[in-house]
Amino acid sequence: MVKKATSDTFPRQNARTQRFTLGDPRNVAVSPDGQRIMFARSRAGDDPLNCLWVLDVAAATERLVGDPSTLLAAPDEEDLPAEERVRRERMREGASGITAFATDRDATVTAFALSGRLFLAGLLSGQARELVVDGPVFDPRPDPIATRIAYVSGRALRIAELDGSSWELAAEDDPNVMWGSADFIAAEEMHRFRGHWWSPDGSAIVACRVDVSDVPRWYIADPANPAQPPNEVRYPSAGTNNPDVSLHVLALDGGSTEVMWDREGYPYLADVKWPAADRLLLTVQSRDQRSLMVLEANPRTGDTSPLFADGDTAWVDLVPGTPALLDDGTLITCADRDGARRLMVDGEPTTPTDLQVRAVLATQGDEVFLLANPIDDATVQHVWRWRTDRTLVALTNEPGIHSATVGGSTIVFRSASIADAGVVTKVLENGIDNGISLESFAMQPLVRVNAVTHHYGPHRVATAVLLPHKHDGSPLPVLLDPYAGPHAQRVLHAQSSYLTSQW
């Protein structure tokens, strides 16, 4: 009997393409000189194996730098370290291959992990090789001057030399203590997915020490494999003890200094940056999330002093990309002031109250690149540029969801709209559109969206109304598709938001 071929359907296509994200450029980064654009992308819209690519801006050509199917004869996701599995779960990452990478300061060298093994690639030469070190390898990061790599292996923070030797920088025998990784709360709720940061000269690392001794144990069984014993995890459910998170400066030639702050009053370590040799920045938050402080730490002594404080009777949001510094050391933050989230420059609001700032994308020179939307319409998101002469310019204006990555005079815009499926990734150099873009292999969905957005009620609640194609205007039953959580905005001026609902 010949089995009849099954025709494609939207649910099958949606699952096979991981919601039409496969084949699309992701993890886009731009070198500080604006000459190279690094990104991950699979070869087809139903191919989950990501490769690492570099686009040469001057030549407008793409080059394959890291191909897992070549670097590993048989890429095996079963060999992933537990920490990498957790990271992918936190980031809702379903693809395989190269899903994360890090570079040196000038973006000439990159490091990434495959199946728990360490790989390096020259972004100028286009050559990649394995660096055989003690593993498994998780979250490898080259130092700023590309002379060695820091990585996490189990509960230890290790250093890899370019000759393949490696050594332990921080570790303890206690199974409840880990070094160099983000704790559950930071990764799941605060989007801090890393736990170690290089000093600007590569002579030291500031690293998190996480102690889960007092965190309750939970036991999670696998319903698909009931014969397997339950997996024990440390889970800080509401009202129970959190992990004890501290921060330490670790010199490569020996010695360590603990960074001191009021950890009882501000137990959450939300962000860490090391912008200058003598200037370490950290963001801490109270457990009720009603108070936030940006602290400056002396890396040699561990002493801290407040740079910025914010509070609210309800809660204080963490704004992605903040805090940041301009080249002259000016502090950039965001805070809710006068009914809008505003860009704060040395503690003073600078953006107007009819604009809601969503994130800071980059700072360079006297410029700040940010994401924002009109205060009365969160269905769109635009890229803006603020300068110290107080000029504020919108760099995108077409209705849609826009973001950007900046390096030197190069800006990579990623834009989605409700009119077209997929995302367009366009490259501008010196503000000029030369027709350069990052190619996408994402599939076109079998469903065409027919959506119109409205704002209803005294609070102008954004609502999308979807109708069948060629609807004649007759009455229809109403199906509601809301979301009750605070993190995932449902009504956006982007077609991908409505594909399943339209189906």
Side-chain angles (χ1 to χ4, degrees):
M1 179 178 178
V2 178
K3 185 176 180 181
K4 185 178 180 180
T6 303
S7 61
D8 206 1
T9 63
F10 172 77
R12 289 191 180 95
Q13 188 192 39
N14 191 51
R16 190 173 67 253
T17 62
Q18 295 187 11
R19 299 178 303 280
F20 303 94
T21 60
L22 300 180
D24 195 48
R26 59 172 72 186
N27 301 72
V28 177
V30 184
S31 61
D33 62 6
Q35 294 304 301
R36 292 173 302 286
I37 300 172
M38 295 70 67
F39 59 98
R41 183 185 59 200
S42 63
R43 287 187 169 93
D46 56 359
D47 179 7
L49 189 69
N50 278 326
C51 300
L52 181 63
W53 303 78
V54 172
L55 182 138
D56 184 297
V57 175
T61 56
E62 293 181 1
R63 178 172 53 184
L64 177 61
V65 173
D67 182 353
S69 61
T70 300
L71 296 172
L72 296 176
D76 188 358
E77 296 295 293
E78 295 300 319
D79 291 336
L80 289 178
E83 295 82 5
E84 173 64 9
R85 294 183 185 278
V86 170
R87 184 195 71 85
R88 293 188 185 189
E89 179 185 343
R90 299 286 171 266
M91 300 187 74
R92 312 308 188 248
E93 175 64 78
S96 59
I98 302 172
T99 60
F101 60 89
T103 73
D104 64 322
R105 179 173 51 222
D106 295 328
T108 60
V109 171
T110 184
F112 53 89
L114 288 171
S115 298
R117 294 154 61 180
L118 175 60
F119 290 84
L120 293 180
L123 297 172
L124 299 177
S125 67
Q127 300 298 311
R129 66 182 177 95
E130 182 177 4
L131 196 62
V132 180
V133 298
D134 291 343
V137 173
F138 168 68
D139 195 20
R141 295 182 180 272
D143 71 357
I145 54 178
T147 58
R148 49 176 60 93
I149 301 95
Y151 68 96
V152 174
S153 184
R155 300 188 307 274
L157 179 61
R158 298 183 62 86
I159 303 296
E161 305 291 352
L162 297 183
D163 62 5
S165 62
S166 64
W167 48 280
E168 200 171 77
L169 180 63
E172 296 181 36
D173 291 334
D174 188 341
N176 295 312
V177 175
M178 63 181 182
W179 283 87
S181 295
D183 61 283
F184 172 87
I185 296 172
E188 178 70 14
E189 306 297 345
M190 298 181 171
H191 283 201
R192 175 172 66 77
F193 299 106
R194 59 189 294 189
H196 62 279
W197 299 261
W198 281 102
S199 66
D201 63 0
S203 65
I205 290 177
V206 62
C208 293
R209 177 186 183 272
V210 179
D211 186 346
V212 296
S213 300
D214 294 332
V215 178
R217 291 180 174 88
W218 284 52
Y219 299 90
I220 302 176
D222 182 356
N225 297 283
Q228 295 293 326
N231 183 35
E232 179 187 304
V233 296
R234 297 279 190 166
Y235 180 71
S237 58
T240 64
N241 291 329
N242 283 331
D244 179 24
V245 180
S246 55
L247 192 66
H248 303 258
V249 178
L250 309 173
L252 297 194
D253 59 2
S256 67
T257 302
E258 183 175 355
V259 179
M260 306 301 293
W261 77 92
D262 177 11
R263 285 166 48 208
E264 184 173 345
Y266 294 86
Y268 292 148
L269 179 63
D271 185 77
V272 178
K273 288 184 175 67
W274 201 337
D278 60 348
R279 198 171 193 194
L280 183 64
L281 301 183
L282 52 151
T283 302
V284 295
Q285 199 173 32
S286 61
R287 180 157 184 171
D288 62 12
Q289 296 181 276
R290 295 176 180 175
S291 181
L292 172 149
M293 293 186 70
V294 177
L295 305 174
E296 180 175 354
N298 183 324
R300 291 184 296 275
T301 66
D303 297 330
T304 58
S305 57
L307 291 180
F308 177 78
D310 196 16
D312 193 277
T313 55
W315 70 82
V316 177
D317 270 335
L318 298 170
V319 179
T322 63
L325 296 176
L326 295 179
D327 285 359
D328 63 1
T330 299
L331 179 68
I332 302 298
T333 55
C334 291
D336 291 350
R337 297 290 186 270
D338 302 317
R341 182 161 306 134
R342 305 173 70 184
L343 185 73
M344 309 288 286
V345 179
D346 274 345
E348 295 297 322
T350 61
T351 47
T353 56
D354 62 355
L355 204 63
Q356 180 84 347
V357 176
R358 306 289 287 271
V360 170
L361 298 172
T363 58
Q364 59 179 24
D366 63 348
E367 298 178 325
V368 180
F369 295 85
L370 55 109
L371 294 180
N373 61 265
I375 193 68
D376 61 350
D377 185 7
T379 69
V380 298
Q381 179 177 275
H382 289 289
V383 180
W384 295 74
R385 183 186 62 213
W386 180 92
R387 286 179 171 156
T388 53
D389 62 4
R390 302 289 169 147
T391 57
L392 180 67
V393 177
L395 303 183
T396 58
N397 50 42
E398 291 295 325
I401 302 298
H402 305 273
S403 186
T405 308
V406 181
S409 59
T410 299
I411 305 178
V412 181
F413 291 98
R414 288 176 57 80
S415 302
S417 73
I418 204 168
D420 299 302
V423 177
V424 176
T425 308
K426 184 182 295 186
V427 180
L428 269 68
E429 189 178 13
N430 293 310
I432 299 173
D433 183 357
N434 292 324
I436 305 173
S437 62
L438 304 185
E439 189 174 1
S440 174
F441 305 131
M443 281 191 179
Q444 290 292 311
L446 294 172
V447 166
R448 291 184 301 111
V449 168
N450 182 25
V452 180
T453 58
H454 301 273
H455 291 84
Y456 290 121
H459 297 293
R460 288 180 48 80
V461 176
T463 306
V465 178
L466 280 70
L467 295 173
H469 290 280
K470 299 181 180 180
H471 176 235
D472 61 6
S474 60
L476 293 169
V478 177
L479 304 178
L480 299 181
D481 185 9
Y483 177 71
H487 292 300
Q489 187 178 331
R490 289 289 285 117
V491 183
L492 295 169
H493 211 84
Q495 191 171 132
S496 59
S497 296
Y498 310 114
L499 289 170
T500 302
S501 299
Q502 183 75 54
W503 174 79

